[in-house]
């Protein structure tokens, strides 16, 4: 039995590579999916496909239609969602993905440093599992197969 | 035909009073619901009901169980959700409520200043309607009855 | 037991007034809802609320966000949907509303002149009932209460 | 991870062959499904299976039962729906398929020439992505795997 | 709290009047709904509204579209379904209504004489409650309020 | 793309073998499932597993729990349901399976001789496709792949 | 806005009267529903309606069909479920009702003495709120309206 | 066609090994999944991953988040649930899993000794099948494939 896990979170650090490496080391039968990690490509995909847009707001709207389409398709294929929220960046789209997972009845593992427990208290309470590191998230996933 | 509208957003300003006043002036048949607006009460409700908790993290978890219960019950009763996101505060719980609305197939009106178009591009694209002011949100609601 | 019926269709003729009058004459306990019938208001509601848009395409997109919000809220309240399709106009939004009704498991009464049986064969086959006139649609509604 | 994509639209041109060829060139792991493309066969399938029907209206109804059965089965298997609407033909069944996709929570990519932005404004606003050419649709699909 | 109960079954005897009378005697807060009980009207409603049909099969199809529309609307409003099956008549439409109720997660009370336990064993096993008389069905309903 | 088809109907004739043979001849990628066809085994499975029951009614109830479990599991796996109803036998369980399919949003092909059009008019109207012979049902299935 | 609350739990003590009294003292707009509290009536309702059964197992099965029907109807009407589990009695049916609530996406307030935290850890983790006394449960309900 | 079966129940005896062995002997195409069977590991997984917790209640809560995550993921993959309840242990989590299965519309086979018929009467009535031994449960599963 293989599981598909969607990794929601910022696309600036290498945290996804870290999760995938750790999961592979444990030989977990998991396929990871996630958003476009090339930040400029992600922001520019709207104009890349549709051509120049009137201003920044419309540029963002166009890009978001393609990014949200991608997220929706992959999120639907996921059995579990892992959402990482950290100190930097607003990450409203990550909170959005995490909440969509809960409302779609997909189990959610929330990774957040303990210092962020207060602004994330509601999301944490609704998530199935809240951990503080990528390492703990991998253990939560591994436990499913043990 | 009356509609119930859930107002999701920060509980520090008076934006909800503004929306209710404007809606009442237009005699809109709308019942507004929302979270506990007394910030200290909201944060302390866990210990208020269950007693002292071991530390701040558990204090937050306890409070969130009661706040999330309240949100869930009221969100279920809502026909529409209005979510306001602004410059101040992390507002991850607001992004969470907004996204829950979408995933529950409840129409969502997103209010955000244009300056925040970039971090909110994905949520904005998924919302039914995106406006910049409380005033415009009231017009969107009013239009449903005209 | 009152029923709410959504009337989907073009907003150029007075067919909705006809249905409402006939239903009232029969004292049917039905509340009718529908789209904005002032055509110019419907097309211009985006710019009316949000201000001028860059071009006609964006003007339409803005208007559609408010019109679709209205349709979604009212369609959700409906127990039955009546969709009228006729010779004039493209009416793709009407076909869209009719199909949304079916997919949402809401009973659909399709009104179409017999001459349009061919382009509407698929929609007609999926609708619960297909009639040719407003009069027959009212009889189908009346029959529910007899 | 393979995806199934339903191609909804007129069955008179070769647009489906174009999409399949482009997708294959990019080696996209996609299986395409769609309606019966032989127009006469599609119209005549009712009488082909059940025998002669009393008149044209019943001939269409019979054919539609088999065509709708096919569409329903294949639409259910689809992860994404691509709907093409153009200048020619009424295409009410295409608008119907596109809208069914949305209501069934299946992502929808709408392909329409910019000249048709006005009659398609509502459908476009509800679709996940709106593009103007088959080429752009393929890019939207390809982006999901990049 | 009032409940709506759909009474599915043959329309030849007065069994519905019996249930309503007994329920009223017990002052149960129940609203009963059901099919058209005038048998000739039920069979002829298709031609009554649409005009003469080519033959008996199409006459039946037309009538069924209006009867099924009625059943669907009322069944949706029901909190509970009572289905009566007896010795006479094929009653396939009753078995159909009873099964639809189960699949729609609406509680079902099946009334059948004990002699019919064998052909109704599967439906009986899936029903919430199986009784042998109208009287017992009323008691099952009454018990909900006691 | 393979499809699973559930064959609901009486277990006295060889109609299922006929469908399977015809489908195989056409090389249709279909897996057929259905009920236990050994009639005595089907009636006696309750006592076979649980031991002797107090009387015939309980004997039937016990058997039905195992038969309904089997039907439910296989029906869930089905993409399409084919239901055959004929002159002989009450077949209330077949009408039950057919209706469950519809309510579960699974496409239904109804096979019934034209002489039974009247008692089956409601079920026929709700089914996706109504045919008169096993041969026509196979053609309806085949058409999906053509 | 009134809420309906289902009170699941043992029917031997007066805990329901306590909750209702406290809620009434706070003038909470809540309608409480629950199971038959007369223990002998609850156990004997099967034979009361259907007549004597072959043995105790069938006596229980008959009673359960009527009790489960009642629970199902009332649980469906509930906005929130409160489940009380205590030291005495097996209470498997209470755990069953509590879990049904969660799986039906109805908010659940679990009341359990702290000494039972271990056998109830899984149910408690899935419940929206876990409290130790009826008093705390009433406060959780009251908070929704404050 | 393979089926996945979730085995819910106490983790103290070897009953799962017994079911798996019997199923394998019959060459049933079934994949069995279930909870962590190492009792100490199951209770301690919270602190194993997150570190020491303030007290026993929080230790249990932490463990339950990981155990419930595992159960939820595996239960979602299951086609059928088998729940074993016996004399020893409170087993409220087993009753919880069994009920979740029913509410999620997954067929449930309940194994319980006849002596426990009374406290399990409601759960038994809602289960698809109730048997007294592991052996009978295997026969119920085997019957699906015969």
């Amino acid at each position: 039995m293989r599981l598909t896990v969607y990794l929601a979170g910022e696309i600036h650090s290498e945290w996804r590579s870290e999760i995938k490496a750790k999961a592979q080391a444990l030989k977990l039968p998991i396929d990871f999916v996630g958003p476009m990690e090339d930040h400029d490509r992600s922001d520019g995909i709207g104009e890349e496909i549709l051509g120049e847009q009137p201003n920044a707001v419309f540029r963002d709207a166009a890009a978001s239609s393609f990014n949200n389409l991608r997220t929706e398709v992959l999120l639907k294929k996921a059995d579990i969602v892992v959402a990482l929220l950290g100190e930097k960046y607003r990450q409203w789209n990550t909170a959005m993905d995490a909440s969509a997972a809960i409302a779609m009845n997909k189990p959610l593992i929330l990774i957040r440093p303990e210092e962020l427990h207060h602004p994330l208290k509601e999301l944490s309470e609704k998530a199935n599992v809240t951990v503080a590191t990528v390492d703990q998230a991998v253990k939560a996933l591994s436990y499913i197969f043990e």
Side-chain angles (χ1 to χ4, degrees), chain A residues 80-146:
Chain A
I80 305 174
V81 174
V82 172
L84 175 135
L85 277 132
E87 260 301 328
K88 296 175 70 177
Y89 318 112
R90 295 203 119 115
Q91 304 161 88
W92 280 321
N93 59 325
T94 303
M96 177 179 93
D97 292 342
S99 184
I102 299 169
M104 287 170 57
N105 271 319
K106 290 188 186 271
L108 171 73
I109 296 174
L110 174 67
I111 308 176
R112 58 103 182 88
E114 212 178 275
E115 303 84 66
L116 284 181
H117 73 85
H118 195 64
L120 280 169
K121 57 195 178 301
E122 292 88 1
L123 191 48
S124 169
E125 199 273 338
K126 290 188 72 78
N128 292 65
V129 155
T130 299
V131 295
T133 67
V134 153
D135 219 48
Q136 294 174 340
V138 173
K139 286 179 178 166
L141 288 172
S142 174
Y143 183 66
I144 297 172
F145 298 97
E146 297 165 19

Side-chain angles (χ1 to χ4, degrees), chain A residues 20-69:
Chain A
K20 295 178 192 177
K22 289 181 144 89
Q24 193 156 336
L26 289 170
K27 298 193 200 304
L28 300 183
I30 294 179
D31 300 304
F32 290 96
V33 291
M36 161 55 62
E37 294 182 45
D38 177 325
H39 185 262
D40 290 339
R41 187 106 198 282
S42 178
D43 274 0
I45 193 64
E47 292 191 332
E48 183 187 315
I49 295 181
L50 298 178
E52 197 178 333
Q53 301 294 303
N55 63 40
V57 177
F58 290 110
R59 178 177 198 260
D60 273 348
S64 295
S65 70
F66 295 105
N67 282 306
N68 280 348
L69 171 70

